[in-house]
Amino acid sequence: MNRRFLALVVLAVHAVSTVACTAGLRFAQCPDKGGPAWGELESDNFILQTDLPPEQSRKAMEYLERTRAAILTAAWPTAVRREMPKLSVVVLADDSTFEKLFPRRVDAFFLRQEDEALVVLHGPPDSWERRFNGRSDITSSTLKHELTHHLSTYFLVRQPRWLAEGLAQFLETLKVSADGTQAVLGAPNLTALSGMKTLLEGVDRGVLEDWSTRDVIAWTKEGEDAADWEAASMYWGSWLVVHWLYNTRPREFVDFQNLLAQGTDPDEAVRSVFPELLSSRADALLFEYARRGTYHELTVQLPRMATAFTERQLEDAEVHAARARLARIAAGMSTPERQQRRLELSRSELEEALRLDPKSLLALTAKLQEVPEAERTALANTLVQYHPEAPEAWLLLASVLRRDETQTKRREEAYKRALELAPRSPRAANGLAWLYVTQSRFSEALPLAQRAVMLAPWNPAILDTYAVASAGTGACAQAIQAEKRAIDLMQEHKNPKLEEELRRRLAGFGRDSCPVSLQPVVATPTP
């Protein structure tokens, strides 16, 4: 068995994207020391914080809105105007700052934490589109890839990993016209195509005996000891399967997604609609498709979308608080030896934020995570006093009161106030729903839980609340489907304690009887 040719392909791909990590961990000069000002732009769908020049930051906001509209129109046209929480985006103007702060192979990233989704990018918006090579004008975009992951969870109740990654790679090559009126769908992902041609040729020649398309369809997560080529082959294979379905089985592909949207088990849906993907013929079918090299591209007309946004300059304290958050996120992504330096940077930025403005909402919110638990209630009360119109303050107060059974009424009022100030907050809706569940007020909890799921269907804890509220009202089939979906969402990200609790809850649900367990679960960040 000869795998060396596959390893060389993977190394070549990595060599293109790898950026050397230079010495010196710090942010660019801060505004109060003469550095560039930071601005915050807020549209109907995004909150953008950046130190890009004003002209570039406005261009970035237009790019974000157009990209979102293009992905939805191309993939899920009936949902272009679906209500969703605003997506937070941070753009660091200086490439080297990003490269020093985050792991060397991270070019951009998407992070989900509780009810908030965050995208972090760097450089001017013109740099976000990158050609695969100098011989083709086909481009890919990490932003499109990550936005697809985020948006797809609103439409596919069940989502096997090959479909999630295949769709993201398929839509990252979406080409939007300069005026935002058209998009071209279906351009090949040249990295995945090249890799799969090489891999499937090895299968066809018999030099690669233990790989099959069926491995891609069965993919849940790669092992920690997986070789680079094995991990890459799952992503490449996922793209090729999705591209093949789009071009050769379009009607069946729609039927398949409809089954997933209804909650059908992914394996059962594949057996029903695409049995050939599980047969011994699958590798030959995809190899022939990859070699043929003719792919259907579809031009779609994009709706006219409102791109209006407000704009303000961040105060210096807010800038330091935002940078403290980035450093804290970077620490969580770093190796142990680098983690400490990033935590130190986060603490120093937070201290400076509080020095400049002891009442800063962003700074006090960050500080709340640092102080001992005994001090959190007092700090949360201070936040509410300083910022009575900020839903984040009320949510933090409700959160810190959860351990005090004598404060149940005040906690309910805090959630209600947060929901009043932020109707699109899944965290507020879910928090109030779970509070009602613990009081056996299931009929009051269910509509709140339904709204939270509509706003954040990617959050396992929110789906769990919905499952328990459904069980409490006797909707057992609904409870079982929601809990299965919550478990599906954890397939990429390890959290044994959470998964064990979800599976225990699911095992207790029957078709005719759904005993309710009131131990809450908490979702962890999923980058």
Side-chain angles (χ1 to χ4, degrees), residues 14 21 50 53 68 88 104 148 197 214 233 251 263 293 310 316 336 420 451 458 466 474 479:
H14 284 174
C21 186
T50 181
R68 179 184 182 276
S88 296
R104 64 188 179 91
T148 298
K197 282 182 177 179
R214 285 169 287 186
S233 72
R251 197 169 291 178
T310 60
D316 291 341
E420 179 185 345
R451 177 156 180 79
W458 39 262
Y466 176 59

Side-chain angles (χ1 to χ4, degrees), residues 40-50 52-71 87 89 91 121 124-126 128-129 141 143-144 147 176-182 302-311:
E40 181 178 87
L41 289 72
E42 184 170 356
S43 68
D44 194 46
N45 298 298
F46 296 94
I47 299 175
L48 168 64
Q49 292 183 338
T50 181
L52 286 168
E55 183 179 347
Q56 290 294 319
S57 63
R58 293 167 195 143
K59 189 174 183 178
M61 178 59 85
E62 291 176 0
Y63 180 95
L64 290 167
E65 285 287 356
R66 286 182 179 179
T67 299
R68 179 184 182 276
I71 290 173
L87 178 62
V89 180
V91 180
L121 306 163
D126 287 342
W128 299 348
E129 293 278 349
S141 163
L143 174 64
K144 291 173 186 172
L147 271 180
V176 183
S177 63
D179 61 3
T181 61
Q182 292 183 332
L302 302 182
R304 185 178 297 276
M305 300 293 292
T307 57
F309 52 84
T310 60
E311 186 174 3

Side-chain angles (χ1 to χ4, degrees), residues 293-370:
T294 57
Y295 310 106
H296 174 65
E297 295 184 1
L298 175 68
T299 299
V300 296
Q301 300 298 316
L302 302 182
R304 185 178 297 276
M305 300 293 292
T307 57
F309 52 84
T310 60
E311 186 174 3
R312 73 180 181 91
Q313 184 171 316
L314 292 182
E315 300 291 337
D316 291 341
E318 293 178 298
V319 174
H320 285 287
R323 301 194 324 182
R325 182 191 184 202
L326 288 177
R328 189 169 63 251
I329 292 172
M333 300 168 65
S334 301
T335 57
E337 59 269 22
R338 297 186 178 186
Q339 186 177 71
Q340 189 58 38
R341 295 179 62 205
R342 283 148 183 78
L343 288 174
E344 290 172 359
L345 177 62
S346 177
R347 282 191 286 268
S348 67
E349 289 285 340
L350 179 57
E351 289 170 1
E352 182 64 8
L354 289 170
R355 186 189 69 79
L356 291 170
D357 182 4
K359 296 182 179 181
S360 167
L361 175 63
L362 286 177
L364 289 175
T365 299
K367 183 180 178 181
L368 194 66
Q369 301 180 34
E370 305 277 339

